Amino acid sequence: MNISVTDLVTEEGKWNNTALETLFTDQAVKHFHNIKCPNPLDGDDRCIWRWTPKQCFDLKNAYTKLAESFWAPKQSIWRIIWHLTVPQRTRLFLWMAQQQKLMTNVERCRRNL
């Protein structure tokens, strides 16, 4: 299925609720209503990467952006975790726990799983 954002907007420039409701959950549709509809005069849909001057995706830049938000190498906890003499899967588990990325029962409930 190849759908663009303009397929989800009516001719009057409002969100097409019928199309939205067939593709997304009710909660997602509510979020759409908080977003301004695109203007047809803005041109065709296109993907941009806002963190580079030319707005073109670059893997190096993407890695840098991910590393900025998730990695704080100055924290001593990382040194402790990665220098433990335990199996790699244990270090990875501890790292994920430190990042709060484990699917705990609380997180599963929050995601309605």
Side-chain angles (χ1 to χ4, degrees):
M1 183 185 314
N2 193 4
I3 297 175
S4 68
V5 175
T6 55
D7 296 333
L8 302 174
V9 178
T10 64
E11 291 178 8
E12 294 83 32
K14 299 188 186 254
W15 290 112
N16 183 342
N17 287 328
T18 307
L20 290 173
E21 289 168 356
T22 58
L23 295 169
F24 301 101
T25 64
D26 291 338
Q27 187 176 5
V29 172
K30 289 177 185 175
H31 285 289
F32 272 96
H33 290 291
N34 293 325
I35 300 170
K36 181 182 174 253
C37 285
N39 187 338
L41 301 175
D42 291 339
D44 293 336
D45 290 343
R46 64 186 177 105
C47 292
I48 62 168
W49 185 251
R50 68 178 177 168
W51 292 284
T52 58
K54 293 183 180 179
Q55 298 182 330
C56 295
F57 179 78
D58 177 326
L59 189 59
K60 181 180 177 182
N61 187 268
Y63 179 79
T64 303
K65 285 296 169 190
L66 284 172
E68 282 177 6
S69 61
F70 294 114
W71 182 251
K74 302 283 185 202
Q75 292 180 355
S76 61
I77 189 70
W78 304 119
R79 188 175 298 117
I80 293 168
I81 290 173
W82 294 117
H83 286 93
L84 289 173
T85 52
V86 295
Q88 179 66 18
R89 65 181 178 194
T90 305
R91 284 192 293 260
L92 183 61
F93 174 81
L94 292 171
W95 178 77
M96 289 179 68
Q98 173 64 23
Q99 290 285 345
Q100 298 178 343
K101 299 295 181 191
L102 294 177
M103 287 295 280
T104 60
N105 286 338
V106 172
E107 184 63 20
R108 289 177 191 189
C109 286
R110 189 181 74 77
R111 295 183 185 191
N112 297 320
L113 296 177

